[in-house]
Amino acid sequence: MRDKTYHIYLDSPERKLLIHSLVELKNQLIQQGRYTDCVDELVFKVINAPTKRIKIEYV
């Protein structure tokens, strides 16, 4: 059985906030002496994610 894939659509301020939050989490894990591999992968994926323009219609 395949794992479910989720897509998230963020605008520029939300993307910046997400990256900032992940870096803060990484810093906390480093201070605690824990591994940061999973957070590093997430930061890499968010930074290198392609941008997609979508049209939003308000009703």
Side-chain angles (χ1 to χ4, degrees):
M1 181 176 208
R2 285 181 51 173
D3 293 334
K4 288 186 176 182
T5 304
Y6 297 96
H7 298 274
I8 184 169
Y9 297 97
L10 303 172
D11 58 1
S12 182
E14 292 172 339
R15 186 171 183 238
K16 288 179 186 178
L17 180 64
L18 177 61
I19 293 171
H20 180 73
S21 299
L22 288 171
V23 170
E24 288 294 321
L25 176 62
K26 181 180 175 180
N27 291 338
Q28 289 176 1
L29 291 175
I30 290 172
Q31 287 179 351
Q32 296 173 3
R34 297 171 61 188
Y35 293 108
T36 61
D37 298 339
C38 58
V39 178
D40 292 335
E41 289 178 20
L42 281 174
V43 170
F44 184 75
K45 285 182 180 183
V46 170
I47 290 174
N48 293 322
T51 58
K52 182 178 183 181
R53 292 190 165 278
I54 58 172
K55 185 176 183 180
I56 300 174
E57 295 182 16
Y58 295 101
V59 179

